[in-house]
Amino acid sequence: MSSDYTPPNDPLEVIHEDAELLLVNKPHGLLSVPGKGEHLADCLISRVQAAFPTALLVHRLDRDTSGVMVFALTKAAQRHLGLQFEKRHTKKTYIALVHGAVAEKSGSIDLPLIVDWPNRPLQHVNFETGKPALTEWRRGAVKDGVTRMRLFPKTGRSHQLRVHMKELGHPIVGDPFYSDDWENHPRMMLHAESLKLRHPEGGRALEFKAKAPF
């Protein structure tokens, strides 16, 4: 990531807040956590903690991905939520615009992923050393050579949806790592639309949403 990091100045958009949980709609172009160097210090966790000092990190979204992110407001909630993510009890839905007309109505991609060390932070498919990665998908409307997709990651590998869409032959529009067209678009067209989880206090099933801005 270069020194031209210019995160948006959008005000913090809170989706839900209670004694244990905080959910916000992360804007695209903003790091979830600080990068290396002073110029990469501005990030969502620091902005959240400025308003909610007890907020603790649970998971991350890529810099160029927008959408629903959950933070814990107590250590106990952080442990509870961390286990939900680790055991894949959470359910995530993403919206993406991808290049080309996807032929099938739905499908799944089961390709193991691992960091491409000479080109990190890029990830790539590796059947020998890669970690299991599974994405289910459902096709939406096709318009002007672009397909709207609903993506359901069953694992949480780094860049999973981005690499899987590329491997499907339909890279995400505006992806600065895995698509050749990124300079022609204002952002990467990937948004975390909804997150289903269980409340750390009592275990009640909840779903939180943020509408895709594209």
Side-chain angles (χ1 to χ4, degrees), residues 17-66:
E17 176 201 352
D18 61 38
E20 305 286 332
L21 299 179
L22 175 71
L23 288 103
V24 302
N25 185 10
K26 176 191 168 299
H28 77 91
L30 178 66
L31 290 165
S32 293
V33 298
K36 292 181 180 179
E38 289 273 327
H39 66 292
L40 300 177
D42 187 12
C43 60
L44 185 59
I45 183 68
S46 64
R47 294 185 185 188
V48 165
Q49 288 175 341
F52 302 89
T54 65
L56 299 164
L57 191 72
V58 175
H59 68 130
R60 308 179 189 193
L61 292 177
D62 291 344
R63 178 190 65 176
D64 298 309
T65 303
S66 56

